[in-house]
């Protein structure tokens, strides 16, 4: 199946999900996660009209960035080590995995050097799995309030991941809780943290995520297949 055929199917599913919950399909942005595929497949993604590209490791992204950086909008979606910040800020426009102040400090420092602002998502570990990164929901308010000290960071939303291998309907309460947390936190009216976006939903569970309020869905396998080389 070509990327185009896969994308057509995905759009159909998004459309149905939007119908079900009365959402405007234009609120949902697809990030094509290209971590499993090479540069040619990544170019194919751009050619079918997806501009948002997601990568979770700087090594995997490096050669793609060198070749096609200007042609896409880059989202860093993986766990971000502090010593890798220099390879991310200025290369990727969005960071989805802000989860600690030491990381915020480093992002802010690098962004100030480049004289840019970095839109970030704060990653929340709703499911409570120990293997997952992200803040506990109860820590989110204090953490985000503290981010006001880092003026080059704009907190545009929250991000979460559902448990690995969960069947679709098991993910619904997780996405719902992220939405509820967003609404709760928005009451603070922070100018540094408008929190208008929700990054949630992957190949297995994006329709549920859309029904529960996702604005960015991160799709790898369903668009690009699961390659054997990674
Ligand atoms: C790999 C990855 C995805 C995409 O996963 P698929 O199940 O292949 O769609 C989405 N988000 C993050 C953070 C990832 O690491």
């Amino acid at each position: 199946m070509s990327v185009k055929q896969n994308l057509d199917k995905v759009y159909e599913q998004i459309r149905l999900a939007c119908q079900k919950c009365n959402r405007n399909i234009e609120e949902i942005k697809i990030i094509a996660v290209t971590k499993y595929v090479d540069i040619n497949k990544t170019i194919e993604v751009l050619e079918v009209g997806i501009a948002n590209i997601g990568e979770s490791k700087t090594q995997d992204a490096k050669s793609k960035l060198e070749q096609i950086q200007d042609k896409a909008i880059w989202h860093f979606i993986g766990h971000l080590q502090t010593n890798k910040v220099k390879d991310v800020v200025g290369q990727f426009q969005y960071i989805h995995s802000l989860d600690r102040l030491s990381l915020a400090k480093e992002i802010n420092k690098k962004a100030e050097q480049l004289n840019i602002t970095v839109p970030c998502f704060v990653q929340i570990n709703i499911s409570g799995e120990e293997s997952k990164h992200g803040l506990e929901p109860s820590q989110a308010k204090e953490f985000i309030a503290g981010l006001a000290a880092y003026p080059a960071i704009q907190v545009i939303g929250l991000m979460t991941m559902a448990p690995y291998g969960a069947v679709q309907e098991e993910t619904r309460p997780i996405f719902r809780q992220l939405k509820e947390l967003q609404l709760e936190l928005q009451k603070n009216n922070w100018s540094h943290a408008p929190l208008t976006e929700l990054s949630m939903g992957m190949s297995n569970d994006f329709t549920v995520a859309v029904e529960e309020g996702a604005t960015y869905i991160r799709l790898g396998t369903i668009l690009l297949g699961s390659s054997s080389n990674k």
Side-chain angles (χ1 to χ4, degrees):
M1 287 266 250
S2 68
V3 176
K4 175 80 175 86
Q5 284 169 315
N6 292 338
L7 183 63
D8 286 345
K9 280 198 189 164
V10 163
Y11 272 134
E12 182 57 24
Q13 286 178 270
I14 295 174
R15 223 168 38 79
L16 290 172
C18 283
Q19 252 172 27
K20 241 167 125 174
C21 61
N22 257 316
R23 290 188 67 193
N24 181 344
I25 193 163
E26 286 171 14
E27 293 172 23
I28 292 112
K29 287 153 291 238
I30 296 174
I31 299 173
V33 178
T34 52
K35 65 186 180 192
Y36 305 116
V37 301
D38 63 12
I39 179 79
N40 294 325
K41 204 81 177 173
T42 306
I43 290 170
E44 210 180 319
V45 168
L46 301 177
E47 284 170 353
V48 302
I50 301 183
N52 293 295
I53 300 289
E55 286 279 344
S56 57
K57 293 195 177 127
T58 50
Q59 307 90 281
D60 293 345
K62 192 165 187 288
S63 78
K64 292 169 194 159
L65 282 166
E66 281 165 8
Q67 295 175 71
I68 54 168
Q69 178 166 27
D70 295 346
K71 299 195 167 59
I73 300 163
W74 296 85
H75 296 256
F76 192 85
I77 62 174
H79 177 63
L80 181 51
Q81 291 169 278
T82 311
N83 64 356
K84 294 281 166 60
V85 166
K86 61 182 184 325
D87 303 324
V88 169
V89 174
Q91 307 268 345
F92 289 81
Q93 281 94 331
Y94 293 83
I95 295 173
H96 289 242
S97 47
L98 178 52
D99 62 356
R100 56 201 194 278
L101 287 177
S102 57
L103 179 61
K105 189 175 172 191
E106 210 50 39
I107 292 170
N108 188 69
K109 189 170 119 195
K110 179 75 184 165
E112 286 192 331
Q113 283 167 8
L114 298 172
N115 206 14
I116 58 175
T117 302
V118 185
C120 293
F121 294 81
V122 168
Q123 184 171 353
I124 309 286
N125 183 357
I126 299 270
S127 66
E129 282 177 292
E130 281 190 20
S131 60
K132 287 230 156 59
H133 296 283
L135 296 149
E136 283 174 33
S138 63
Q139 302 172 314
K141 182 174 176 184
E142 194 185 337
F143 178 74
I144 296 172
L147 292 175
Y150 304 101
I153 291 177
Q154 180 77 355
V155 188
I156 62 165
L158 303 176
M159 180 273 221
T160 201
M161 290 171 78
Y164 296 112
V167 295
Q168 261 195 8
E169 279 307 316
E170 286 172 2
T171 63
R172 190 178 297 280
I174 304 223
F175 298 145
R176 188 163 293 176
Q177 281 175 59
L178 196 70
K179 178 74 201 181
E180 283 165 4
L181 184 61
Q182 176 198 30
L183 293 173
E184 190 57 38
L185 292 169
Q186 279 178 339
K187 292 181 189 159
N188 293 290
N189 282 317
W190 288 308
S191 59
H192 72 287
L195 294 168
T196 50
E197 309 300 322
L198 288 180
S199 169
M200 59 187 193
M202 304 175 24
S203 292
N204 281 328
D205 50 30
F206 69 95
T207 55
V208 180
V210 167
E211 287 169 24
E212 298 299 329
T215 62
Y216 282 93
I217 55 178
R218 310 180 306 266
L219 304 179
T221 319
I222 199 167
L223 282 180
L224 299 162
S226 53
S227 83
S228 46
N229 63 359
K230 213 155 250 165

